[in-house]
Amino acid sequence: MIRLEVIGDPIEHSLSPAVHGAALSALGVEYEYKKVRVAAGGLKRYIAHAISDRVDGFNLTMPHKVDILKFLSEISDDARLAESVNTVCVNNGSLSGFNTDGRGFELSLNRSGYEFKNSRIVILGAGGVVRTLVTAAALKGAKSVCVINRTQSKAREVCAAADGISDTELSFAAFEELSESCGDADIFINATPLGMSGCRGDFENLEFLHALPKGVLVSDLIYNPPKTTLLKEAERIGLKTQNGLGMLIFQALAADEYYLERKLDMQAMYEKVINNL
Ligand code: NAP
């Protein structure tokens, strides 16, 4: 039996137990997957429990993805570059950290017929997940990434952190420059909570969608609601769209590959998970 946990604060609404449960059941793996509320500053104590109670691995969400770095004996290259870890394997008392968000997102792109390689990408937002996506896009040979954020200094910082990873052209712009920045995008990603259920804000103006080329994919990382105002409008004007459910499922499957130390047929597993959820 494999013993897994997900830690964060808040943690009550985490879908990780459902998604990992659907995947591990489909694989016929005997498992236990618990949610554990761990507040900021509580990592040291949690890790002592994970080791002494023989937890095999754990996923991390807010506020631990960065703080965990100092407790790791090993870290994957992408997680090190993004300075963010969402998956930890515990082996004989030592911890190995990974970040599966970038791969999870790319697998969701593949499902829609897109990929990072050679793509021109525009991302709205510059929070934790964007740093991971920019790192993954640069490592996978995206042609360019433009980061647009309400607080422009954060967009600049995200680009600076990924500078030099590869030849990917990195730039940043202000929210007001959205339309001008969209003209040649292959992939547009909303990585802000605008339009998310329970979040008071939504896009006040979606005119910029008309500046996107016809073949673009409009990707919203939000999965609740399944169709945000952004996705509804993009669909209405004939653009291809995807929500964040694919990323959520694929990042979990990529984490399960680390926990189980085996490769999974990702696209086949996606079908099984979505049918079991
Ligand atoms: P975060 O670190 O809190 O960053 C939030 C970003 O959104 C910041 O850049 C912030 O801009 C911007 N923002 C917030 N409210 C805004 C508003 N009213 N107007 C304009 N911009 C606003 O969050 P995160 O972890 O990066 O996550 C971002 C989104 O991705 C969330 O919706 C999250 O649910 C989603 N997500 C989905 C998955 C998945 O598996 N599908 C995984 C991770 C994240 P400022 O810098 O100006 O504050």
Side-chain angles (χ1 to χ4, degrees):
M1 152 128 118
I2 188 161
R3 297 190 61 197
L4 303 170
E5 298 187 336
V6 56
I7 64 166
D9 186 21
I11 198 65
E12 293 72 25
H13 298 106
S14 171
L15 289 177
S16 291
V19 178
H20 285 273
L24 295 166
S25 303
L27 290 165
V29 172
E30 206 185 325
Y31 72 94
E32 183 181 274
Y33 193 107
K34 285 189 196 162
K35 284 186 224 184
V36 183
R37 193 173 78 81
V38 176
L43 266 181
K44 197 173 172 190
R45 207 164 145 205
Y46 171 76
I47 289 166
H49 139 76
I51 293 172
S52 66
D53 290 346
R54 298 186 182 282
V55 172
D56 296 295
F58 54 94
N59 291 111
L60 305 96
T61 181
M62 261 187 9
H64 303 303
K65 287 182 165 186
V66 178
D67 291 348
I68 188 71
L69 290 162
K70 57 178 174 287
F71 296 100
L72 303 173
S73 322
E74 270 185 292
I75 179 164
S76 64
D77 285 348
D78 50 358
R80 183 176 42 77
L81 288 166
E83 290 186 6
S84 170
V85 163
N86 73 343
T87 302
V88 168
C89 294
V90 186
N91 280 313
N92 299 322
S94 76
L95 309 184
S96 309
F98 309 91
N99 193 314
T100 64
D101 282 336
R103 175 142 184 258
F105 181 73
E106 194 182 23
L107 284 161
S108 78
L109 281 184
N110 299 160
R111 243 193 120 65
S112 298
Y114 291 75
E115 60 179 353
F116 279 138
K117 195 168 175 58
N118 294 327
S119 290
R120 286 163 294 210
I121 300 165
V122 174
I123 307 182
L124 194 58
V129 76
V130 174
R131 176 133 180 206
T132 309
L133 294 186
V134 174
T135 305
L139 284 169
K140 287 296 185 81
K143 190 169 172 44
S144 63
V145 180
C146 177
V147 181
I148 298 174
N149 195 43
R150 178 176 61 179
T151 311
Q152 217 179 328
S153 57
K154 285 203 211 161
R156 185 191 306 119
E157 281 166 29
V158 168
C159 290
D163 192 28
I165 291 180
S166 71
D167 292 339
T168 301
E169 218 177 276
L170 302 168
S171 61
F172 60 92
F175 228 76
E176 300 69 37
E177 298 168 295
L178 197 47
S179 290
E180 296 92 281
S181 310
C182 281
D184 65 354
D186 300 305
I187 299 165
F188 174 87
I189 305 166
N190 173 40
T192 74
L194 288 171
M196 184 163 73
S197 170
C199 159
R200 261 179 287 142
D202 203 341
F203 287 90
E204 283 167 17
N205 184 341
L206 289 167
E207 270 308 299
F208 68 89
L209 287 175
H210 293 274
L212 289 164
K214 275 279 163 258
V216 73
L217 174 71
V218 177
S219 174
D220 200 328
L221 299 193
I222 293 167
Y223 47 83
N224 183 17
K227 263 189 207 173
T228 54
T229 321
L230 171 77
L231 293 188
K232 278 186 197 156
E233 180 61 9
E235 218 175 80
R236 194 189 67 77
I237 65 170
L239 304 178
K240 260 187 113 166
T241 61
Q242 70 169 27
N243 70 17
L245 186 62
M247 174 178 177
L248 180 78
I249 291 175
F250 282 120
Q251 61 78 28
L253 290 171
D256 289 336
E257 284 195 334
Y258 288 118
Y259 295 141
L260 301 172
E261 295 180 341
R262 66 186 255 207
K263 287 271 166 225
L264 301 176
D265 178 340
M266 293 302 216
Q267 299 297 341
M269 280 303 295
Y270 175 90
E271 294 294 340
K272 290 186 180 167
V273 170
I274 202 129
N275 292 330
N276 271 357
L277 266 182

